[in-house]
Amino acid sequence: MPRGVAIPELRQQLFAAAEQVIIRDGPGKLTGRAVTGEAGVAAGLLYAHFTDFDDFLAAYAVDRSFTIAAAVGALPGTGDVTADLCDAVLAIPRDTLTALARILVLRPELAARVNAVLGDRAAGLDAIEQAAAAHLAAARRAGRIAVDPAAVALALVGVLHHLVLTGADDLETRLHQAIAALVGSNERSDSA
């Protein structure tokens, strides 16, 4: 690429490249050179926009945590708690969820950096847990379910974490089955 040519959306291009490296090669192979190579840009370009690789990783984790929080932040209220939770979680881009979960396992200190920017409990799967707990609490107050919202939200995140870290091909089916088992047997329909 010629020098001095602006690259539109460079940060997102680098973040997407990091995601691809994590998904394909694992988080242990994530380096500045791997990211810039995947993005097809000069190796030094990453450091022209970020102080160091840790700064890049923190910015990536913040960006992707924000994406996840936005996807689950406004859970729909269709009346079917199981379907609402499944739809919200499945609306999160799977590569984003998988890559972020993997990098946070390898580099747990990134969660503190995300929390410093987005607030407590906003890093990665914490945002899903908070949104699910709030949605379940509202459904419980409305008399639609009789489960402990915090416990079910934590279990949901545990299931999701397992499924994304193991690369489950049948994530959608297994997630729906788990949520139905946690919530569905106690869920009351609006017509009841």
Side-chain angles (χ1 to χ4, degrees), residues 23-181:
I23 298 296
R24 183 185 62 238
D25 303 328
K29 300 288 185 182
L30 188 65
T31 64
R33 188 167 299 281
V35 170
T36 55
E38 182 71 25
V41 299
L45 197 55
L46 185 137
Y47 300 102
H49 293 272
F50 300 95
T51 307
D52 55 24
F53 195 61
D54 286 341
D55 185 43
F56 168 76
L57 290 177
Y60 166 79
V62 166
D63 182 83
R64 294 320 199 232
S65 291
F66 183 78
T67 298
I68 290 170
V72 298
L75 279 160
T78 64
D80 183 338
V81 177
T82 299
D84 289 347
L85 290 173
C86 283
D87 290 348
V89 171
L90 294 172
I92 301 167
R94 184 158 181 198
D95 282 353
T96 296
L97 185 58
T98 301
L100 184 61
R102 289 179 180 173
I103 196 68
L104 288 175
V105 166
L106 183 68
R107 304 279 305 267
E109 72 279 3
L110 290 174
R113 293 184 76 173
V114 172
N115 288 344
V117 174
L118 298 179
D120 287 343
R121 314 260 320 162
L125 299 176
D126 285 340
I128 299 169
E129 182 182 349
Q130 295 301 309
H135 187 69
L136 290 162
R140 184 176 176 168
R141 282 190 304 275
R144 293 177 28 229
I145 60 171
V147 297
D148 178 344
V152 171
L154 179 60
L156 164 66
V157 168
V159 167
L160 185 59
H161 193 258
H162 171 74
L163 293 173
V164 298
L165 289 181
T166 60
D169 290 332
D170 54 350
L171 181 140
E172 185 173 342
T173 301
R174 292 177 71 191
L175 182 65
H176 189 275
Q177 289 170 337
I179 293 173

